[in-house]
Amino acid sequence: MGNLVVAQSGGPTAAINATLVGVISYAKESKQIKTIYGAKYGIEGMLAGEFFNFNAWLEQGGSLEQLLYTPSSALGSCRKKLEDGDEDTIQELIQQLKKKNIEYVLYIGGNDSMDTVAKLSKYCKENGIFDLTVVGIPKTIDNDLVGIDHCPGFGSAARYVATTCMELKKDSRVYNLPSVTIVEVMGRNAGWLTAASALSRENGQEGVDLIYVCERPFSKEQFIDDILELQKKQCSILIAVSEGLQGQDGTYLAEQEQEDVDDFGHPKLSGVGSVLEQYVREKIGCKVRSVELNVMQRCSGHITSKVDLVEAKTLGEKGCQYALEKKNGAMATLRRLGNAPYQVEYYATDVEQVANREKKIPLVWIVKEGNNVTREMVDYLKPLIQGEWKVRLKDGVPEYVTLF
Amino acid sequence: MGNLVVAQSGGPTAAINATLVGVISYAKESKQIKTIYGAKYGIEGMLAGEFFNFNAWLEQGGSLEQLLYTPSSALGSCRKKLEDGDEDTIQELIQQLKKKNIEYVLYIGGNDSMDTVAKLSKYCKENGIFDLTVVGIPKTIDNDLVGIDHCPGFGSAARYVATTCMELKKDSRVYNLPSVTIVEVMGRNAGWLTAASALSRENGQEGVDLIYVCERPFSKEQFIDDILELQKKQCSILIAVSEGLQGQDGTYLAEQEQEDVDDFGHPKLSGVGSVLEQYVREKIGCKVRSVELNVMQRCSGHITSKVDLVEAKTLGEKGCQYALEKKNGAMATLRRLGNAPYQVEYYATDVEQVANREKKIPLVWIVKEGNNVTREMVDYLKPLIQGEWKVRLKDGVPEYVTLF
């Protein structure tokens, strides 16, 4: 009988605590597990020996129901990676885990975090450490992980983007004059979330008119032509663009801010919306506005997708199950069985297949003009934003959980 | 028996169609009214003779229930004002209304739009036109109208701001390092909506740490000192600022963009968040981000306040009632009777008292340090964001109405 530690890493999502709840729910029913710890701030907290005791929290009345819908990593997060060949840090990490009699490590994160799982589990395998099992559980609003049909956290972000684009369309068409509204959506190298803006025009609703994802080289001239063409037919035009749009020469359209390189060394992009806004103002001269959906697209706990939260929780349960089954180096994942009815099945995959890789939108799901997505793309997206999760309100605002 | 026209003007809100529904609901039960028209794009549509027939729309199955929660002026809007002494336009307007046998004009808008109501009703009075009654119904997310306790549209925007600030706090505190997040909230000269961010920290929740409203001259030096002082105690700091913050010398902090002067001649402000973000980066050097809530704060129909929608609808009904009572030049308004229980009463006021004036936050509701609001301010705000309005969903997104 050993202890378990669960941690969260990388950018937060609105479903990442549902996964945490899945892990805790499964673990607390297991006779193999004594204490359920959370590491504060991912592997940073593990290295510093900063652990949160979930058993104590539950005894004091902590509510898993409220934790489930609380957005953003409740255990905190980190961007720290294990460097190649940095055995000292790995050994330090293992020492800290042993001190707490931890036998199971569950790490919830994206492709960078899965690299941590891969390195740690590999080290254990290669060094005969059989009493430590490390399992990864995926999350990312970017939906860019390989080895999974779609990522937990993505569906809720997609529902936020789709709903907000519907509402921005309503807002942008009130004046009887030509206007262009550019919505900047998160996604450095993969345009899945930008593509989700297409869901704003389902069911006969008006939504985005043009969509530019970062998988295709972007032409500013074509962009202006597309707008001018559409302006012949309609007054207000709503456009969704990926933050990571690149020109034909492969450089980012957004101004890169040097100070804002994140700890994984990726440049933080912002401003493709403003760049294009300025360009439309110069070339067309009509009313133009850019809207950055910013971190709201990943933290809007008040508008999550029920399908997403259920899957996120189930992946947490499955991850815990695989850890107890000693599937060291596994990642809990899911595949889609069909859309009518929508159904998925869960299984374990090798985290090595997932780490450090990126899944982009297949080019066949982008129309040949490069300014929209296809029906296949919409069919893929649609099931992921279904259903509402009931959030408890008090005085008109949500009752969220703060662990520490 | 005559006809009625209702129109919407100024910036859209998430509750402005609830007012429209109030007018239609009352009018369709009245024996004094034959046809209910909507003018497209405010007085621009009246002048152009562009009317929407609500009776026909209802007969064809138009849903008032869905229209009620649909955000943003469904009839379109305009920024057109009647110039002082421009009798030609007024006469043209009256001619267009007569052509349609219109006897009642309901104009839903803010302080600029109430000026239109004042001018038109005054002209009728002074020129013996007794068969035309013009009544104003208030709306604005800015809550800056005099002659009313609080404005319809404000409560929903306030609920959006409060909820989003709670969620931004969750997002901003995930990393274990000093960070500053600056949230830019709409409000050119009145900081009511910025003050509503205070509701994010009710009920023991974590929310905004510092609030700077535009009623007080802003000191950049004091701002940095406030952050440094708070950083001694906590890691992540969330700050709400009004877009219209002005320095000690009365100039706007935001970069003014000349192209963006609106049709009422007000400079369109944007960027106070970025200005302050850059300043924190220079002076403190910690992780810093600015978030502009942009038009989402006025168009997020998926997260409205029930209190707000009910009041907005009731003001529409009352406005229609006053018009039928021939209260030319009246504005439907409300006063608060108490907070425990929260209760309001409706009455008619003289639109002249409201037009072109602005109501600012009383300075006694701002703490003497200028970086927060008082308990009295929160007590005033709290009842206005209560309750949820149930929005019909299909495939995970709202079913909104498009009239034309």
Side-chain angles (χ1 to χ4, degrees):
Chain A
M1 198 167 169
N3 297 332
L4 173 145
V5 69
V6 54
Q8 297 170 318
S9 175
T13 80
I16 194 166
N17 293 328
T19 302
L20 179 60
V21 166
V23 172
I24 299 167
S25 305
Y26 197 92
K28 77 187 176 72
E29 300 305 323
S30 164
K31 293 207 165 58
Q32 285 174 259
I33 294 166
K34 199 175 159 211
T35 307
I36 306 164
Y37 290 111
K40 298 181 182 178
Y41 310 108
I43 53 169
E44 280 180 8
M46 287 189 207
L47 285 165
E50 289 187 16
F51 295 97
F52 180 85
N53 187 319
F54 276 110
N55 299 73
W57 178 75
L58 286 169
E59 274 164 35
Q60 286 151 24
S63 161
L64 290 177
E65 177 234 322
Q66 279 177 274
L67 179 58
L68 190 146
Y69 63 68
T70 297
S72 219
S73 326
L75 282 169
S77 183
C78 70
R79 290 279 188 192
K80 190 178 173 66
K81 282 180 78 158
L82 295 175
E83 295 300 322
D84 285 332
D86 180 7
E87 299 207 347
D88 288 356
T89 303
I90 295 185
Q91 282 162 8
E92 209 181 313
L93 202 54
I94 292 172
Q95 217 166 20
Q96 287 291 351
L97 298 172
K98 295 260 168 181
K99 260 194 210 168
K100 285 277 182 187
N101 295 318
I102 287 165
E103 292 182 13
Y104 311 100
V105 180
L106 278 303
Y107 211 53
I108 309 167
N111 39 19
D112 285 313
S113 312
M114 288 310 129
D115 179 70
T116 299
V117 174
K119 286 203 169 83
L120 189 55
S121 57
K122 197 174 166 204
Y123 183 91
C124 292
K125 281 177 197 166
E126 288 175 355
N127 293 275
I129 303 170
F130 301 116
D131 55 355
L132 198 60
T133 303
V134 191
V135 167
I137 315 177
K139 73 82 210 159
T140 168
I141 63 158
D142 293 330
N143 200 40
D144 62 350
L145 298 187
V146 298
I148 190 161
D149 178 75
H150 58 275
C151 304
F154 172 68
S156 293
R159 184 162 174 239
Y160 172 86
V161 169
T163 305
T164 302
C165 284
M166 287 178 75
E167 294 170 343
L168 289 173
K169 182 66 176 186
K170 290 285 175 212
D171 188 272
S172 64
R173 71 195 288 288
V174 297
Y175 298 114
N176 193 19
L177 46 89
S179 74
V180 172
T181 305
I182 301 162
V183 186
E184 179 181 327
V185 184
M186 278 181 170
R188 190 184 284 117
N189 300 316
W192 297 101
L193 199 53
T194 309
S197 67
L199 298 169
S200 65
R201 59 188 183 216
E202 286 297 286
N203 309 328
Q205 294 283 337
E206 288 188 321
V208 290
D209 299 295
L210 296 166
I211 300 173
Y212 299 90
V213 295
C214 48
E215 278 78 358
R216 279 268 301 244
F218 180 79
S219 155
K220 277 176 151 183
E221 293 69 33
Q222 189 57 51
F223 176 70
I224 295 296
D225 287 349
D226 290 346
I227 297 172
L228 290 172
E229 189 58 33
L230 211 52
Q231 281 186 332
K232 292 178 188 166
K233 291 188 295 183
Q234 65 187 66
C235 217
S236 80
I237 296 173
L238 184 67
I239 305 171
V241 298
S242 297
E243 78 180 310
L245 282 186
Q246 298 173 25
Q248 316 278 343
D249 61 354
T251 59
Y252 287 109
L253 256 72
E255 289 141 339
Q256 294 186 13
E257 296 169 42
Q258 276 200 306
E259 302 97 318
D260 271 6
V261 175
D262 72 25
D263 293 343
F264 282 144
H266 310 139
K268 268 184 70 182
L269 302 177
S270 77
V272 66
S274 343
V275 169
L276 292 176
E277 175 187 341
Q278 196 49 40
Y279 196 66
V280 170
R281 190 169 286 129
E282 276 167 29
K283 296 291 171 183
I284 304 184
C286 63
K287 183 177 156 76
V288 55
R289 181 194 290 278
S290 66
V291 177
E292 197 184 338
L293 297 186
N294 215 309
V295 294
M296 284 83 86
Q297 58 203 302
R298 72 181 187 197
C299 71
S300 288
H302 72 275
I303 178 171
T304 52
S305 147
K306 187 172 181 178
V307 163
D308 185 31
L309 292 200
V310 168
E311 290 178 351
K313 184 184 179 209
T314 309
L315 283 165
E317 293 164 350
K318 292 291 173 182
C320 190
Q321 179 196 322
Y322 302 148
L324 295 177
E325 291 166 5
K326 303 232 172 232
K327 294 198 165 120
N328 192 28
M331 183 185 86
T333 187
L334 58 79
R335 68 168 64 90
R336 187 184 310 218
L337 299 176
N339 278 339
Y342 172 72
Q343 230 185 328
V344 295
E345 71 174 5
Y346 299 88
Y347 64 105
T349 191
D350 184 351
V351 76
E352 294 266 11
Q353 306 299 313
V354 184
N356 301 318
R357 295 171 64 192
E358 280 179 327
K359 184 175 71 178
K360 301 192 178 197
I361 299 178
L363 291 178
V364 291
W365 284 3
I366 303 166
V367 300
K368 67 176 193 309
E369 294 80 9
N371 57 16
N372 231 314
V373 297
T374 67
R375 190 67 228 168
E376 289 72 27
M377 175 90 243
V378 174
D379 290 342
Y380 165 88
L381 294 167
K382 210 166 176 174
L384 313 182
I385 66 161
Q386 305 292 313
E388 287 186 282
W389 196 273
K390 188 78 195 150
V391 169
R392 251 201 260 174
L393 294 179
K394 191 171 174 191
D395 290 331
V397 287
E399 291 199 278
Y400 290 142
V401 167
T402 303
L403 294 180
F404 53 87
Chain B
M1 198 170 169
N3 297 330
L4 173 145
V5 70
V6 54
Q8 297 169 319
S9 175
T13 81
I16 194 167
N17 293 328
T19 301
L20 180 59
V21 166
V23 172
I24 300 168
S25 306
Y26 197 92
K28 75 186 177 75
E29 301 305 323
S30 164
K31 293 204 166 60
Q32 286 174 255
I33 293 166
K34 199 175 159 210
T35 308
I36 306 163
Y37 290 112
K40 298 181 182 177
Y41 310 108
I43 53 169
E44 282 180 6
M46 286 188 205
L47 285 165
E50 290 188 16
F51 295 98
F52 180 85
N53 187 319
F54 276 111
N55 299 75
W57 177 76
L58 286 169
E59 273 164 32
Q60 286 152 24
S63 161
L64 289 177
E65 178 235 323
Q66 279 176 274
L67 179 58
L68 190 146
Y69 62 68
T70 297
S72 220
S73 326
L75 282 169
S77 183
C78 71
R79 291 278 188 192
K80 190 177 173 66
K81 282 180 79 159
L82 295 176
E83 296 299 323
D84 284 332
D86 180 8
E87 300 206 346
D88 288 356
T89 303
I90 295 186
Q91 283 162 6
E92 209 181 313
L93 203 54
I94 292 173
Q95 218 166 21
Q96 288 291 352
L97 297 172
K98 295 260 167 179
K99 261 194 211 167
K100 284 275 181 189
N101 296 317
I102 287 165
E103 292 183 12
Y104 312 100
V105 179
L106 277 303
Y107 211 53
I108 309 167
N111 38 17
D112 285 315
S113 311
M114 289 310 127
D115 178 70
T116 300
V117 175
K119 286 202 169 81
L120 189 54
S121 57
K122 196 175 166 201
Y123 183 90
C124 292
K125 281 178 199 166
E126 288 175 355
N127 292 276
I129 303 170
F130 300 117
D131 55 353
L132 199 62
T133 303
V134 190
V135 167
I137 315 177
K139 71 84 212 158
T140 170
I141 63 159
D142 293 330
N143 200 39
D144 62 351
L145 298 187
V146 297
I148 190 161
D149 179 76
H150 58 277
C151 304
F154 172 68
S156 293
R159 184 161 174 240
Y160 173 87
V161 169
T163 305
T164 303
C165 283
M166 286 178 76
E167 294 170 342
L168 289 174
K169 183 66 177 188
K170 290 284 176 212
D171 188 272
S172 65
R173 72 195 286 288
V174 297
Y175 299 114
N176 193 21
L177 47 89
S179 74
V180 172
T181 305
I182 301 162
V183 187
E184 179 182 326
V185 184
M186 278 182 169
R188 190 184 283 115
N189 300 316
W192 296 102
L193 200 53
T194 308
S197 67
L199 297 169
S200 65
R201 60 188 182 215
E202 286 298 286
N203 310 326
Q205 295 282 336
E206 289 188 322
V208 290
D209 299 296
L210 296 166
I211 300 173
Y212 300 90
V213 295
C214 48
E215 278 79 357
R216 280 268 300 243
F218 180 79
S219 154
K220 277 176 150 183
E221 294 68 35
Q222 188 57 51
F223 176 70
I224 295 297
D225 287 347
D226 289 346
I227 296 172
L228 290 172
E229 189 57 35
L230 211 52
Q231 281 187 331
K232 292 179 189 166
K233 291 187 295 184
Q234 66 187 66
C235 217
S236 81
I237 296 173
L238 184 67
I239 305 170
V241 299
S242 296
E243 78 181 309
L245 282 186
Q246 297 172 26
Q248 316 279 345
D249 61 353
T251 59
Y252 287 109
L253 256 73
E255 288 140 340
Q256 293 186 15
E257 297 170 42
Q258 275 199 308
E259 303 98 317
D260 271 6
V261 175
D262 73 24
D263 294 343
F264 282 143
H266 310 140
K268 268 183 68 182
L269 302 178
S270 76
V272 66
S274 342
V275 169
L276 292 176
E277 174 187 341
Q278 197 48 42
Y279 195 68
V280 170
R281 189 170 287 128
E282 276 167 29
K283 296 291 171 183
I284 304 184
C286 64
K287 182 177 158 75
V288 55
R289 182 195 290 276
S290 66
V291 178
E292 198 184 337
L293 298 186
N294 214 310
V295 293
M296 284 82 86
Q297 58 204 301
R298 72 182 186 195
C299 72
S300 288
H302 72 275
I303 177 170
T304 52
S305 146
K306 188 172 182 179
V307 162
D308 185 30
L309 292 200
V310 168
E311 290 177 350
K313 185 184 178 212
T314 309
L315 283 164
E317 294 164 350
K318 292 291 173 182
C320 191
Q321 179 197 322
Y322 302 148
L324 295 177
E325 291 166 5
K326 303 230 171 235
K327 293 199 165 122
N328 191 28
M331 183 186 87
T333 187
L334 57 78
R335 68 168 65 89
R336 186 184 312 219
L337 299 177
N339 278 339
Y342 171 71
Q343 228 184 330
V344 294
E345 71 174 3
Y346 299 87
Y347 64 105
T349 190
D350 184 351
V351 76
E352 294 265 14
Q353 306 299 314
V354 184
N356 301 317
R357 294 170 65 192
E358 281 179 326
K359 185 175 69 180
K360 302 193 176 195
I361 299 178
L363 290 178
V364 291
W365 284 3
I366 304 167
V367 300
K368 67 177 195 306
E369 295 79 7
N371 57 16
N372 231 314
V373 297
T374 66
R375 190 68 228 167
E376 288 73 25
M377 174 90 244
V378 174
D379 291 341
Y380 165 87
L381 294 167
K382 209 166 178 175
L384 313 182
I385 67 161
Q386 305 293 314
E388 287 187 283
W389 196 272
K390 187 80 195 149
V391 170
R392 252 202 259 172
L393 294 179
K394 191 172 174 190
D395 291 331
V397 287
E399 290 198 277
Y400 289 142
V401 167
T402 303
L403 294 180
F404 52 87

